[in-house]
Amino acid sequence: MTNVILDGSDMTRAITRIAHEIVERNKGAADVVLLGIPTRGFPIAERIASAIERIEGARPDTGSLDVTLYRDDLRMRPARALEPTSIPAGGVDDRVVILVDDVLFSGRTIRAALDAISDLGRPRAVQLAVMVDRGHRELPIRPDFVGKNLPTSVDEQVRVSVSEVDGTDEVTISGGTR
Amino acid sequence: MSHEATAPETVVLRGARPYGEDQVDIVVRDGVIAELAPPGTGSAAVVVDADGLVALPGLVDLHTHLREPGREDAETVETGSRAAALGGYTAVFAMANTLPVADTAGVVEQVWRLGQEAGLVDVFPVGAVTVGLGGTQLAELGAMAGSAARVRVFSDDGKCVHDAVLMRRALEYVKAFDGVIAQHAQEPRLTEDAQMNEGVLSGVLGLTGWPAVAEESVIARDVLLAHHVGSRLHVCHVSTAGSVDIIRWAKARGIEVTAEVTPHHLLLTEDLVRSYDPVYKVNPPLRTSADVEALWEGLADGTIDVVATDHAPHALEDKDCEWGAAAFGMLGLQTALSVVVQTMLLTGRLDWRGVADRMSVAPARIGRAHGHGAGVQRGATASIVLVDPEATWVVDPEGLASKSRNSPYRGMELPAQVRHVLRAGRITVRDGELAS
Amino acid sequence: MRHLLSAADLDAEAAILVLDTAAELAAVTDRSVKKLPTLRGRTVVNLFFEDSTRTRISFEMAAKRLSADVINFAAKGSSVSKGESLKDTALTLEAMGADAVVIRHHASGAPHRLATAGWIAGAVVNAGDGTHEHPTQALLDAFTLRRHLRGGTGGLDGLRVTIVGDVLHSRVARSNVLLLATLGADVTLVAPPTLLPTGVHEWPCRVSYDIDEALPSSDAVMMLRVQAERMHDAYFPSAREYSRAYGLDRDRLGALPDHAIVMHPGPMNRGMEISAEVADSDRAVMVEQVTNGVSVRMAVLYLLLGGSTGEK
């Protein structure tokens, strides 16, 4: 059984809200770099950038950050194909890096991303934006910007679909024993 | 240690089928086949249940490496004799490439004596053609022929007598005592560092090739030499289709040439080398399926006279390594008959009389092994092997009697099992085990 | 992928995965921190029975950039006749807990043996065995070709690559023919007939004895090292005659299309198979091949060791 938690327009509203919060928190977006974590974090980062552009008139830099090589669970699965990493030409030094991912769960992906960023340079600050926070953190990590807080049980599956990858925009939850 | 015991006066092999034909009781008295009696009628103190077993003359291996003296870690005359007896043999010819080389009367007499002491098969030493297998100076062929070992087969096996003059002289010289030169046909310059059959596969695997022409060119030269000097020539381990053609041509011309093929060249092909497992490394190398088919045909039509094992035991360290560093050779004594049954008998290329000819009668004749290959008939020396033609078995190198383990047939299921063996009336193998 | 023993182990999908992975990893070379934590705690042994400083260093750098512990085991000097040393060395490495063994050996098939004889449990990477194969060289060549001539993505469909020289003794040629054909390239081998293996006409490539016929329709030409000593075994009459007939000089460089690149696995015999002028020209990509070698070997080590191993 699959339930739709957010539909396309819900997601658009959430992204717009996140964009406003980013601008407010950082007093503009001049120094902001949005780094999406592949696969679905990247298109979400692009959309947030577009929303910020509509607010501020200028589009912040975006990039893609694959964290596979920094993961701590590599040995639990066969070697994975790498996703693209592209860092804006200006780099991350002294900028505000906003990591963007689709779902925040254990926090291990973000832990790996923080390590990856520190190998790329020294940002002034790192913030985290996610479409869904489903809880069950295993590390002391919390998001700065959340599209939807979604209480779940561990065995449920939360799936964020984006039209750039999946052909549709929605957030669904399935499985579990509720 | 001696297994030589007094042979029981009379042994009856009950219900055996000589050459797979009608059942008889084979009555053996004083080492000789006294009569072939109707089944169930023979009586004696010792009766061997041979019901339905095929009786063949004891097998004779014209080409065995027993490694003694020198490499007793790989095989001894004693352990090789056990393997031979269990494989259905009553006589083997032990090749000369020992340490020291069997190139003097002293060494061949030692091997001969060790064979007698082991007492399971007659071990006929092969004498080296040249001193130390060096290919430059004739060994004392006459002295070896005149020794207690009465050597009649001479070979530098492992090396080729490649010097044409030396080969000519050797062919001529042994005529004086009815000897024969058994040539390991391998042109040395064409096979420097050769590792496997030269062909598409050797190119892909990056292993130096052993071209068929290196064998065929030497055989062609040697049959012409034998013709020229009127000598007999024996060609060891023929492995290529071209060699079969040349020998067939030579025989048609009346040249006195005989030839042998190994069991592994009848069954295995070079494709096994893809594994780079040195258990498949052998000289001459495993060839292509087209060569194998030509060998079947040559053996069936008599172009190839003999199946000889080229039993080549090697210590573990000489095989448990990379291909290039490994020694050439495979075990063969305990699997030869089964491989011949599989490739030649079950396919209808030979009947049991044919198998007996290629594995006993012909090799005994070529090697002048008197008292062997006499046939399963009244008045013949009672050297007999009894084979269960219906049995199948899975080869486990650990279970073989050889000191070494380099059998290429590991895990293969083969047909036909040796049940009993008599050598000159004495039981050497009973129920598949060495008789004590 | 459990081992990398032959270029034939890779189908097109697997080969492109290695190249794509290498492309991502190449970016690390441009960073100030040229290191990734991916293989932390893993041990890679470079087991070299033959001298090859450049290949050894390339693997060493690749492993270190992925934070693996690297042990260099130069087994050179062990005699060919004492083959036992490979087994004993393997057992030693196993006892020390090597996760991967990168092996260079003078005997064709030694990596296969190491991978299949049951001596060790770790992954085996063939870094060149006898006259058999050198799959990571072929991968780095494919990577270089793809970057220059196919925009750095996908396969090599229709790319015309001419490989010239001592194919008979070349593990580089064997691996390249297999891999480039798998990736869709049209490979032509050019050599005197004495330096072509028996059965080469069955290989997935074209064969020619005439370099001048092949060059005008080549997108890339790969020159193989030819040892002058081969003339002593009568493979060719003299170094001069070889060089005249099969060497790449300025005139022949001019016969190549303008976009074509010149490759060489190194070390070069300047004046033999390639003139100094050509070796130093801007068409030559040898330095880049070396750089790409590190990325490709990182990709191979990552794909072999970066996930769960031990089971298939």
Side-chain angles (χ1 to χ4, degrees):
Chain A
M1 169 135 157
T2 300
N3 291 320
V4 176
I5 303 300
L6 300 178
D7 63 16
S9 53
D10 295 335
M11 284 175 67
T12 302
R13 274 193 295 278
I15 284 168
T16 304
R17 177 168 51 74
I18 289 171
H20 279 282
E21 287 172 10
I22 288 171
V23 171
E24 187 178 343
R25 161 92 74 99
N26 295 292
K27 300 180 172 54
D31 291 336
V32 164
V33 179
L34 291 155
L35 292 185
I37 297 173
T39 305
R40 289 172 185 78
F42 179 65
I44 296 172
E46 289 287 338
R47 291 192 203 180
I48 294 172
S50 299
I52 290 174
E53 183 178 10
R54 285 193 292 273
I55 300 163
E56 291 287 287
R59 186 184 175 85
D61 285 344
T62 57
S64 156
L65 180 68
D66 181 48
V67 303
T68 305
L69 296 164
Y70 291 86
R71 298 195 72 96
D72 62 5
D73 59 353
L74 284 173
R75 295 191 196 184
M76 295 161 75
R77 288 200 273 157
R80 282 164 265 215
L82 302 183
E83 301 274 0
T85 291
S86 62
I87 303 301
V92 298
D93 285 345
D94 283 325
R95 320 232 358 221
V96 175
V97 169
I98 299 177
L99 288 170
V100 182
D101 203 359
D102 51 356
V103 179
L104 179 61
F105 189 15
S106 69
R108 289 177 188 274
T109 300
I110 304 307
R111 200 277 313 154
L114 292 171
D115 282 354
I117 288 172
S118 70
D119 280 358
L120 292 170
R122 189 181 179 284
R124 195 171 79 233
V126 180
Q127 297 166 4
L128 174 60
V130 297
M131 180 56 70
V132 176
D133 180 357
R134 61 168 295 189
H136 305 288
R137 213 77 73 240
E138 295 167 5
L139 295 170
I141 282 169
R142 62 163 184 77
D144 299 277
F145 314 103
V146 181
K148 170 85 176 168
N149 279 300
L150 183 63
T152 60
S153 70
V154 177
D155 50 356
E156 282 172 318
Q157 281 161 16
V158 175
R159 183 176 165 80
V160 174
S161 301
V162 293
S163 55
E164 294 90 328
V165 179
D166 307 291
T168 180
D169 282 343
E170 64 179 14
V171 176
T172 60
I173 188 165
S174 61
T177 48
R178 44 167 61 185
Chain B
M1 183 162 106
S2 170
H3 290 274
E4 206 66 63
T6 328
E9 279 189 1
T10 307
V11 178
V12 169
L13 310 176
R14 174 148 292 158
R17 296 159 53 212
Y19 308 106
E21 294 159 12
D22 293 341
Q23 280 196 324
V24 294
D25 282 2
I26 302 172
V27 182
V28 174
R29 200 168 291 131
D30 299 325
V32 173
I33 298 176
E35 66 175 309
L36 302 181
T41 63
S43 68
V46 179
V47 175
V48 174
D49 177 11
D51 185 31
L53 302 184
V54 174
L56 304 175
L59 307 182
V60 177
D61 189 8
L62 204 47
H63 193 144
T64 311
H65 296 272
L66 295 182
R67 303 292 184 222
E68 190 175 4
R71 283 308 298 267
E72 290 83 355
D73 58 326
E75 196 79 287
T76 64
V77 173
E78 160 109 28
T79 57
S81 291
R82 291 175 186 213
L86 290 167
Y89 287 90
T90 53
V92 300
F93 285 77
M95 276 297 171
N97 61 339
T98 48
L99 293 170
V101 171
D103 57 1
T104 62
V107 177
V108 295
E109 284 191 354
Q110 183 197 355
V111 173
W112 164 257
R113 187 174 45 73
L114 288 167
Q116 292 299 300
E117 285 174 10
L120 290 165
V121 295
D122 281 319
V123 176
F124 297 107
V126 174
V129 177
T130 64
V131 174
L133 309 178
T136 54
Q137 183 191 347
L138 281 188
E140 291 187 350
L141 308 178
M144 290 188 275
S147 74
R150 298 196 314 279
V151 176
R152 291 296 177 270
V153 179
F154 298 91
S155 180
D156 276 1
D157 181 61
K159 299 232 175 117
C160 179
V161 183
H162 65 272
D163 182 311
V165 171
L166 204 66
M167 185 62 183
R168 174 198 171 143
R169 300 280 186 254
L171 285 167
E172 290 175 308
Y173 192 81
V174 299
K175 280 201 282 190
F177 35 85
D178 194 27
V180 65
I181 304 295
Q183 174 72 294
H184 173 120
Q186 177 181 5
E187 210 294 310
R189 282 282 281 157
L190 284 172
T191 52
E192 277 174 19
D193 193 35
Q195 299 290 321
M196 70 170 292
N197 179 50
E198 181 166 307
V200 175
L201 189 58
S202 65
V204 169
L205 296 180
L207 292 171
T208 309
W210 197 132
V213 63
E215 174 173 310
E216 294 154 3
S217 61
V218 171
I219 295 174
R221 180 201 73 178
D222 285 355
V223 296
L224 295 174
L225 276 175
H227 186 47
H228 182 60
V229 299
S231 296
R232 58 186 186 115
L233 165 73
H234 179 71
V235 183
C236 295
H237 40 54
V238 168
S239 69
T240 75
S243 298
V244 176
D245 282 343
I246 292 165
I247 293 162
R248 190 177 283 126
W249 173 86
K251 285 191 166 183
R253 301 261 300 211
I255 297 171
E256 219 182 329
V257 58
T258 55
E260 72 191 31
V261 62
T262 70
H264 46 269
H265 287 113
L266 290 173
L267 184 62
L268 310 177
T269 64
E270 62 170 4
D271 293 317
L272 293 164
V273 182
R274 285 181 188 281
S275 67
Y276 288 103
D277 185 339
V279 80
Y280 302 115
K281 184 173 176 180
V282 65
N283 183 0
L286 299 178
R287 304 284 188 184
T288 66
S289 54
D291 293 302
V292 169
E293 284 169 29
L295 294 170
W296 290 338
E297 198 183 318
L299 185 62
D301 70 17
T303 300
I304 298 172
D305 305 80
V306 168
V307 175
T309 65
D310 197 3
H311 177 80
H314 285 292
L316 188 60
E317 66 269 21
D318 292 324
K319 284 291 191 181
D320 201 13
C321 56
E322 64 272 27
W323 184 275
F328 292 95
M330 305 174 162
L331 298 186
L333 282 169
Q334 281 181 259
T335 44
L337 180 61
S338 291
V339 171
V340 171
V341 167
Q342 168 142 333
T343 56
M344 302 303 291
L345 187 105
L346 295 181
T347 55
R349 296 186 179 97
L350 287 178
D351 57 13
W352 282 109
R353 282 187 185 271
V355 172
D357 179 72
R358 305 301 191 272
M359 299 190 76
S360 175
V361 181
R365 182 179 67 239
I366 293 163
R368 306 299 192 240
H370 300 298
H372 292 275
V376 184
Q377 63 203 27
R378 191 176 157 163
T381 303
S383 287
I384 299 168
V385 55
L386 292 156
V387 184
D388 182 348
E390 307 298 332
T392 60
W393 60 296
V394 175
V395 180
D396 172 14
E398 304 302 320
L400 299 176
S402 171
K403 263 196 173 182
S404 295
R405 297 287 167 260
N406 53 309
S407 171
Y409 310 110
R410 177 190 296 273
M412 283 179 67
E413 186 178 275
L414 295 176
Q417 239 179 340
V418 172
R419 300 302 302 158
H420 315 289
V421 183
L422 271 76
R423 184 181 66 120
R426 197 176 66 78
I427 298 171
T428 55
V429 174
R430 186 149 189 189
D431 297 323
E433 310 264 344
L434 289 172
S436 51
Chain C
M1 195 158 76
R2 173 96 174 77
H3 307 287
L4 180 61
L5 305 177
S6 160
D9 296 346
L10 302 169
D11 58 17
E13 191 189 351
I16 289 172
L17 173 63
V18 175
L19 300 183
D20 288 349
T21 304
E24 288 300 325
L25 290 166
V28 173
T29 310
D30 304 328
R31 309 189 329 196
S32 56
V33 179
K34 293 183 176 52
K35 207 169 171 95
L36 293 160
T38 317
L39 298 185
R40 206 169 49 189
R42 300 271 179 153
T43 302
V44 174
V45 176
N46 285 323
L47 178 58
F48 276 56
F49 286 82
E50 252 181 17
D51 270 338
S52 177
T53 309
R54 54 176 58 215
T55 303
R56 206 250 304 141
I57 287 177
S58 181
F59 270 106
E60 183 171 355
M61 186 167 281
K64 284 183 169 167
R65 287 210 170 142
L66 290 168
S67 300
D69 293 319
V70 180
I71 295 169
N72 290 314
F73 197 121
K76 196 203 152 230
S78 67
S79 108
V80 182
S81 62
K82 273 294 143 207
E84 207 189 30
S85 60
L86 177 61
K87 180 182 179 181
D88 284 338
T89 308
L91 294 176
T92 304
L93 300 179
E94 178 67 5
M96 290 176 174
D99 295 297
V101 177
V102 175
I103 177 173
R104 161 69 66 101
H105 201 285
H106 43 74
S108 299
H112 276 82
R113 196 76 184 125
L114 194 61
T116 58
W119 301 330
I120 62 166
V124 176
V125 180
N126 182 359
D129 62 328
T131 53
H132 179 224
E133 283 211 45
H134 193 356
T136 58
Q137 176 72 40
L139 283 164
L140 79 86
D141 288 336
F143 186 88
T144 306
L145 288 165
R146 194 173 84 150
R147 241 190 191 188
H148 273 272
L149 302 164
R150 284 294 181 269
T153 57
L156 299 174
D157 283 328
L159 193 73
R160 299 162 303 174
V161 182
T162 300
I163 301 175
V164 186
D166 185 357
V167 176
L168 179 64
H169 299 96
S170 175
R171 47 200 174 205
V172 175
R174 276 174 183 72
S175 288
N176 260 305
V177 168
L178 290 168
L179 184 75
L180 299 183
T182 297
L183 289 169
D186 297 325
V187 181
T188 301
L189 294 175
V190 177
T194 47
L195 289 177
L196 288 166
T198 311
V200 71
H201 295 278
E202 307 269 320
W203 293 15
C205 61
R206 216 166 63 82
V207 175
S208 169
Y209 305 138
D210 183 358
I211 187 173
D212 295 311
E213 171 257 334
L215 290 181
S217 56
S218 301
D219 299 312
V221 57
M222 189 183 297
M223 304 305 295
L224 300 174
R225 177 178 170 82
V226 176
Q227 294 172 338
E229 309 85 74
R230 298 281 181 214
M231 65 179 264
H232 300 309
D233 291 323
Y235 287 108
F236 46 81
S238 70
R240 204 177 46 196
E241 174 156 326
Y242 179 86
S243 182
R244 226 173 12 229
Y246 294 97
L248 188 64
D249 58 13
R250 186 172 53 178
D251 290 346
R252 285 188 172 133
L253 186 66
L256 283 168
D258 290 342
H259 66 272
I261 59 172
V262 175
M263 305 169 77
H264 195 297
M268 287 184 281
N269 275 328
R270 287 172 183 247
M272 182 73 182
E273 71 269 5
I274 190 166
S275 73
E277 216 174 347
V278 174
D280 295 334
S281 79
D282 56 6
R283 310 283 287 282
V285 298
M286 277 70 99
V287 173
E288 210 179 307
Q289 285 175 274
V290 174
T291 308
N292 294 341
V294 176
S295 304
V296 159
R297 287 167 181 133
M298 285 173 75
V300 168
L301 290 174
Y302 165 66
L303 291 169
L304 286 175
L305 296 181
S308 51
T309 51
E311 70 276 18
K312 291 235 170 180

